[in-house]
Amino acid sequence: MTFEKVCSLKDVQEPGSLRVELDDVDIAVVRFEGNVYAIEDLCSHAEVPLSEGDVEEFRGAPTIECWLHGSCFDLRTGEPTNLPATDPVSVYPVRVEGEDVFVDVAIDDSLPAAASN
Ligand code: FES
């Protein structure tokens, strides 16, 4: 694993998201209810940046909502929780050290990935 610093905690609203780029990968760094997530910043339905959507609980899951058609994606797994999107997006491991947020994009991790702050 190769974690690289992508931002500071204070750069991301709680709840909210921030678009960052790491190794040519666009990532939404998301804060929600004390956790920090990193999710691919591209809706799997029609290539809209997810970082422009709302961060909220939906059907019991922490999600980010695509603003164009309303699909929400589980921040832990990248799976869509509702139509029209049917394909998952990538999620990445996150580490928080002090105020610094680190993400590893070397591994396309389909397992739950989050860090507490
Ligand atoms: S573009 Fe995201 S749900 Fe359609």
Side-chain angles (χ1 to χ4, degrees):
M1 288 189 154
T2 306
F3 283 90
E4 295 186 52
K5 181 181 174 183
V6 293
C7 63
S8 295
L9 274 180
K10 63 177 171 31
D11 298 330
V12 189
Q13 290 188 344
E14 163 76 64
S17 65
L18 175 72
R19 181 185 179 101
V20 299
E21 183 182 320
L22 178 59
D23 295 342
D24 296 324
V25 178
D26 292 324
I27 302 165
V29 176
V30 183
R31 293 179 70 181
F32 184 69
E33 294 187 341
N35 290 315
V36 183
Y37 304 89
I39 190 167
E40 181 180 1
D41 194 17
L42 194 64
C43 181
S44 61
H45 182 235
E47 301 191 354
V48 168
L50 293 175
S51 59
E52 297 175 2
D54 292 333
V55 177
E56 58 195 11
E57 183 177 316
F58 183 73
R59 295 181 178 167
T63 67
I64 190 164
E65 179 182 19
C66 177
W67 60 265
L68 189 55
H69 302 120
S71 282
C72 293
F73 292 85
D74 191 319
L75 294 167
R76 303 166 298 184
T77 64
E79 292 286 340
T81 58
N82 57 309
L83 297 172
T86 56
D87 294 326
V89 297
S90 297
V91 293
Y92 305 99
V94 178
R95 178 185 295 166
V96 176
E97 296 180 9
E99 286 293 307
D100 296 331
V101 179
F102 296 82
V103 175
D104 181 2
V105 294
I107 295 175
D108 181 2
D109 198 349
S110 59
L111 297 173
S116 299
N117 61 1

